[in-house]
């Protein structure tokens, strides 16, 4: 609260109202003494104390001064809303009087210390902001009164007068200390400005549009800045007004109002003076210091990479229309996104030319963003900004680079046409136009490569062109070129070698070196002797070419064996030419492939050659015969028979008699063995002859046998022998051994001493039987082995003779079948294929054997030699069936040894082999080597970067086991990843953004090529690694922070934080103030972003600060503008000085000449803008001479003063 109680230096201020009366018709003349306009400093607060109550009687709002004066001796400037006209120049001869115009009363304020004009009535805030108002046409205002016009406020004198005569007393009664008369005259609506240092010559009168309006002058500010006075709103653009208001709000303004009141007698004189002043003071307008302005908000430019340092990029130019240094612009630029950009470019501060500072590399950094600032040299220095985006254009300076220095891949032969083999991938760091890579085969091997393979020119996928045969070409060396198709300066390429090895498939059957092998073997060969080596070759490789051999037929008695590896055939059991003269062996050559392939066409004929290993054997011994002495020469007496089981010459016999003399009457046929009479016999001479017989073969060496022969010479008789039975029936097993007794026949001769001999005289086919005489009977024996298949029945005629007479009988010999034949399989080798999914109980194959025997000897029983649990054979039918499930992946082939036995005695058998090949079916799904795969990839990795490789195997074979990889059902990260179908390499398709997707959950499938195909999924997690590719982001580009004034020094006034979408070290942010903190007023914590004050903040000294803070995540930066607005606190007392109101009441004939409106305002001031003042008159106004508005401080005069009585009324006014 401030109180005004006393005059002068009193602690209390006194307010006096002095009415003054002058004689009617008196004319006031301006004194001849020099007059000086007194301008004194005063502070005009920018607050709006009681703003809502400042309205005149018409309801119009009155402003209360919004401009703040300058400190020290700055150029004066009008405070908006205060009206005054400078009617007198600073000339000693000028006549400047305060008088009545057209008989109207005017008020005037005077003070011995400081003159502050009262705020005029009826002036809007907008008028004050325009620093001027409409004047009154001089020619139209004569005879009109100015009621209640505002005179002055603040520590001065308010004078009010009426009438047409001059009031010389009132005008001369008030002198300023210093002796000079201070003349002031007011005029409603008008402003004049003057500088303390330049009182005269700075103003001008301006009449525009015939309105007689008086414009404010413009004055030159210290430092060369110009501020233009404003009259009507259309005199300048609104934007310049705002700039001027902002500019003029800095510092305090110093101004003292002079209010001059003139009467009608001086109107003409003033008009003449106005003309003189308009001519003498020409107006010199000064434009406001305007900001530099760039024609565009942002610029985009390209510069080629690899250019030398100093290459011109572009010229920046900002327009500043100000003259002189205020229009001269200097340039700076700062990186916006990446601090490294400043290492590559420089802007010339004067010319604005942007040039490179080093060689640019687009592949290292292709985009640069700058804020270019143009700053003038005015006072204060103003600036304008624009954005520049520099794109580094690409030159084809990088060749394609293959992911590997060489590629090695394997492929199985016989894969189908179009089978994918290998995915080549080359990358090029250049831009897409210079990285449009195409692949092709080049070099000497290109023709060979194209015959077997083809390469997709865009993807680099190598596939088969046709059948690939390892046996034709096992190793391919391809040379692939990757060309980038670049234009500037030309295409570049890179070559890589691709080595493709064709893996062997078991697609070749072993081939025997000969169609038929024949070997002769002596029957006396020693056991385990090698007799032959068979050989088969396989064009396949490794295990597929390893051949092993076995005898599959023709070796039923097991005389031979074969080495499974070398193919050597040995005799393992003695051979007997007489038992088997030739063996036909079937040999199988089989490889070790999966499944194995075999050749069963190997035929080996083993021909047994005879050796003389069997001596002749007489069919009976000794030989006895009788002969009649009357037998003629040449008569056959005895048939000597011997057999030799050898063959050829080894079995051809010759006979000779031994132990005879030259007179022996018998001779033997050397070839047939018949003993005949050589000479006449004479029983009476010799009755008995005894000699020997020898049978010798023609072998080398020859073998022989001997037997004794007794011939009795008998006398002639007349009774013939008679058989006791005319027919004999006998059974003989065909396997009876030679010498077996068949039957004994007897014939009776009734002659005395008759000797009966027996001979077979018929039916002895193949000489199978022989008969000898022993004890008067004939013993029939087996002379040669029987063969049931040749003869099953013999009818032998046996003759009994007593030398002259004979008798016959028949012996029926029925040959019974012996088990002489072994069973023989219809096929020497059985091979059958069966699918592995065949159910148990299914018949695989039916095998059959035949036996030439009959009956039980021909009834065959089958059985498996080895116990193989997957198979069983029906013993009667030979049907082989499954009794367990098969699995190709466990065992691909089975060799079953099947034996067929007859039921003869002894049992005979044959063995064959059944090869069961298991066919693969697609019964196994692919199996991944790992149940889950994890990989990482940097978010800035170029497209088609390899992330990881998955691998699966399939136990099936061929197409059923060939695995390819794929993504399905959109489980490829929305197209961000792809997988190579053959290798399983997972690659990126495009650049990733960790901030959008930090990790991916993918599902890949391994799919075989079976029908139908089987598939197996696997989960893949790809983690995207962060790179520092995001600048920190403030919540807004501009912040407004409200801070209470008088906050403690060092206290945190705000915390400014930014966020970085990156993570880890890439998301660490550091803060700093980069602009607007000179001198250092605030301090920002580098890590937390807390903003602290370093000085006392005073709203009245400065109510706003603008700083620019920067958040750095090296090398990326981001900036934001912080507007710190101080919040006013009630820390200032209201101020009020003594002032006087002088009222000169000149009685006129007009009843309405008394000023009834607001004559002014109590000149109180409170620097705090938020305060609302309350005005009261404590004492001295008991007569209610003054009417005071308690909220606005407006003063009106009471009608009680409308008289001719002098009155002095000291009053005490309090402002709180």
């Amino acid at each position: 609260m401030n109180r005004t109680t006393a005059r002068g230096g009193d602690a209390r201020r006194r307010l006096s109202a002095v009415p003054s009366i002058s004689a009617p018709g008196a004319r006031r003349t301006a004194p001849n003494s020099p007059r000086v306009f007194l301008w004194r400093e005063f502070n005009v607060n920018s607050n709006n104390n009681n703003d809502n109550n400042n309205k005149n009687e018409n309801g119009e709002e009155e402003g209360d001064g919004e401009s703040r004066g300058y400190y020290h001796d700055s150029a004066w400037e009008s405070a908006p809303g205060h009206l005054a006209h400078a009617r007198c120049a600073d000339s000693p001869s000028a006549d400047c009087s305060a008088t009545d115009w057209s008989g109207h009363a005017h008020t005037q304020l005077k003070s011995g210390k400081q003159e502050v004009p009262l705020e005029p009535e009826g002036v809007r805030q907008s008028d004050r902001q325009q620093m001027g108002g409409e004047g009154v046409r001089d020619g139209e205002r004569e005879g009109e009164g100015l009621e209640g016009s505002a005179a002055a406020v603040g520590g001065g004198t308010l004078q009010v007068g009426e009438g047409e005569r001059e009031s010389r007393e009132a005008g001369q009664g008030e002198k300023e200390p210093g002796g000079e008369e201070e003349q002031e005259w007011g005029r409603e609506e008008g402003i004049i400005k003057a500088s303390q240092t330049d009182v005269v010559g700075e103003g001008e009168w301006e009449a525009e549009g015939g309105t007689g309006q008086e414009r404010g002058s413009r004055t030159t500010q210290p430092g060369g800045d110009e501020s233009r006075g404003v009259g009507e709103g259309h005199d300048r653009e609104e934007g310049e007004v705002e700039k001027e208001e902002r500019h003029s709000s800095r510092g305090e303004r110093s101004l003292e109002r002079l209010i001059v009141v003139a009467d009608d007698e001086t109107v003409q004189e003033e008009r003449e003076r106005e003309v003189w002043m308009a001519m003498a003071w020409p107006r010199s307008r000064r434009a406001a210091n305007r900001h530099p302005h760039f024609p565009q908000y942002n610029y985009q430019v390209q510069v080629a990479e690899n250019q030398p340092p100093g290459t011109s990029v572009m010229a920046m130019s900002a327009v500043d229309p100000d003259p002189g240094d205020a229009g001269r612009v200097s340039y700076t630029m700062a990186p916006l996104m990446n601090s490294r950009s400043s290492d590559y470019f420089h802007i010339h501060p004067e010319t604005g030319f942007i040039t490179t500072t080093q060689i640019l590399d687009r592949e290292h950094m292709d985009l640069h963003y700058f804020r270019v600032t143009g700053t003038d040299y005015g006072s204060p220095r103003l600036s304008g900004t624009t954005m520049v985006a520099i794109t580094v254009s690409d030159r084809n300076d990088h060749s394609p680079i293959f992911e590997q220095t060489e590629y090695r891949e394997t492929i199985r032969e016989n894969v189908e046409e179009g089978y994918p083999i290998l995915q080549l991938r080359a990358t090029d760091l250049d831009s897409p136009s210079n990285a449009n890579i195409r692949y092709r085969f080049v070099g000497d091997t290109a023709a060979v490569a194209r015959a077997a393979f083809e390469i997709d020119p865009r993807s680099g996928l190598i596939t088969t062109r046709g059948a690939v045969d390892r046996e034709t070409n096992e190793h391919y060396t391809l040379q692939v070129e990757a060309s980038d198709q670049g234009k500037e300066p030309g295409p570049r390429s890179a070559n890589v070698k691709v080595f493709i090895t064709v893996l062997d498939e078991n697609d070749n059957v072993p081939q025997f070196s000969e169609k038929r092998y024949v070997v002769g073997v002596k029957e006396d060969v020693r056991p385990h002797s090698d007799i032959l080596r068979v050989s088969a070759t396989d064009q396949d490789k490794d295990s597929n070419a390893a051949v092993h051999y076995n005898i599959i037929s023709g070796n039923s008695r097991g005389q031979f064996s074969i080495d499974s590896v070398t193919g050597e055939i040995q005799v393992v059991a003695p051979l007997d030419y007489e038992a088997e003269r030739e063996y036909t062996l079937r040999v199988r050559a089989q490889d070790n492939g999966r499944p194995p392939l075999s050749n069963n066409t190997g035929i080996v004929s083993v021909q047994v050659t005879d050796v003389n290993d069997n001596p002749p054997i007489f069919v009976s011994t000794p030989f006895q015969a009788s002969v009649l002495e009357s037998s003629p020469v040449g008569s056959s007496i005895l048939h000597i028979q011997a057999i030799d089981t050898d063959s050829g010459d080894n079995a051809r016999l010759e006979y000779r008699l031994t132990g005879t003399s030259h007179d022996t009457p018998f001779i033997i046929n050397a070839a047939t063995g018949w003993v005949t009479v050589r000479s006449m016999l004479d029983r009476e001479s010799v009755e008995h002859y005894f000699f020997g017989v020898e049978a010798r073969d023609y072998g080398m060496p020859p073998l022989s046998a001997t037997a004794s022969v007794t011939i009795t010479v008998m006398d002639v008789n007349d009774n013939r022998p008679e058989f006791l039975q005319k027919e004999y029936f006998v059974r003989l097993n065909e396997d009876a051994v030679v010498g077996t007794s068949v039957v004994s026949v007897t014939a009776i001769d009734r002659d005395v001493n008759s000797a009966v001999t027996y001979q077979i005289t018929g039916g002895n086919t193949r000489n199978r039987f022989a008969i000898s005489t022993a004890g008067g009977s004939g013993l029939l024996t087996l002379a040669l082995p029987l063969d049931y298949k040749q003869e099953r029945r013999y009818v032998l005629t046996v003759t009994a003779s007593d030398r002259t007479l004979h008798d016959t009988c028949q012996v029926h010999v029925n040959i019974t079948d012996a088990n002489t034949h072994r069973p023989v399989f219809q096929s020497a080798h059985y091979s059958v294929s069966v699918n592995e999914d065949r159910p148990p109980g299914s018949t695989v194959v039916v095998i059959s054997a035949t036996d030439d025997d009959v009956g039980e000897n021909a009834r065959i029983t089958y059985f498996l030699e080895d116990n193989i649990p997957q198979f069983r054979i029906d013993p009667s039918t030979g049907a082989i069936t499954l009794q367990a499930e098969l699995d190709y992946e466990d065992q691909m082939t089975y060799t079953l040894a099947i034996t067929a036995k007859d039921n003869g005695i002894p049992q005979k058998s044959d063995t064959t082999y059944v090869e069961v090949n298991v066919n693969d079916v697609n019964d196994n799904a692919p199996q991944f080597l790992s149940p889950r795969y994890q990989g990482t990839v940097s978010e800035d990795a170029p497209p088609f970067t390899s992330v990881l490789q998955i691998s699966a195997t399939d136990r099936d074979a061929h197409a059923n086991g060939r695995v390819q990889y794929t993504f399905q059902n959109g489980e490829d990260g929305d197209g961000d990843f792809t997988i190579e179908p053959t290798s399983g390499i997972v690659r990126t398709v495009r650049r990733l953004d960790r901030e959008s997707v930090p990790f991916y959950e993918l599902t890949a499938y391994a799919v075989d090529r079976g029908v139908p195909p089987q598939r197996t999924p696997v989960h893949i997690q790809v983690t995207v690694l962060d790179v520092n590719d995001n600048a920190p982001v403030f919540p807004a580009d501009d912040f407004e922070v409200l801070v209470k004034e008088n906050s403690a020094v060092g206290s945190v006034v705000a915390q400014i934080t930014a966020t970085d979408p990156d993570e880890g070290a890439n998301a660490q942010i550091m803060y700093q103030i980069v602009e607007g903190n000179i001198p250092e007023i605030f301090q920002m914590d580098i890590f937390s972003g807390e903003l602290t004050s370093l000085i006392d903040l005073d709203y009245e000294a400065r109510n706003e600060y603008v700083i620019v803070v920067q958040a750095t995540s090296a090398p990326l930066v981001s900036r934001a503008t912080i507007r710190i607005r101080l919040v006013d606190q009630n820390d200032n007392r209201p101020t009020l000085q003594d002032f006087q109101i002088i009222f000169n009441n000149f009685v006129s004939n007009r009843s309405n000449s008394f000023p009834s409106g607001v004559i002014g305002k109590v000149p109180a001031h409170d620097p705090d803008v938020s305060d609302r003042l309350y005005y009261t008159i404590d004492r001295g106004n008991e007569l209610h001479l003054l009417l005071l508005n308690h909220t606005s401080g407006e003063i009106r005069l009471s009608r009680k003063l409308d008289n001719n009585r002098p009155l002095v009324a000291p009053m005490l006014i309090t402002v709180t």
Side-chain angles (χ1 to χ4, degrees), residues 320-346:
D320 193 328
D322 297 326
D325 286 344
R328 185 164 59 92
V329 179
S330 66
Y331 301 91
T332 59
M333 68 179 184
L336 285 178
M337 297 298 294
N338 197 320
S339 61
R340 292 180 297 178
S341 296
S342 59
D343 298 335
Y344 297 95
F345 297 93
H346 169 74

Side-chain angles (χ1 to χ4, degrees), residues 38 116 126 134 164 183 197 267 379 435 442 445 502 520 588 604 621 953 961 1013 1044 1050 1053 1070:
L38 299 180
V116 180
S126 61
E134 285 189 338
E164 296 180 358
Q183 298 292 339
T197 59
V267 170
S379 180
V442 295
T445 60
V502 181
R588 176 174 63 188
V604 178
T621 185
T953 58
K1044 291 182 180 180
V1053 299
M1070 293 185 292

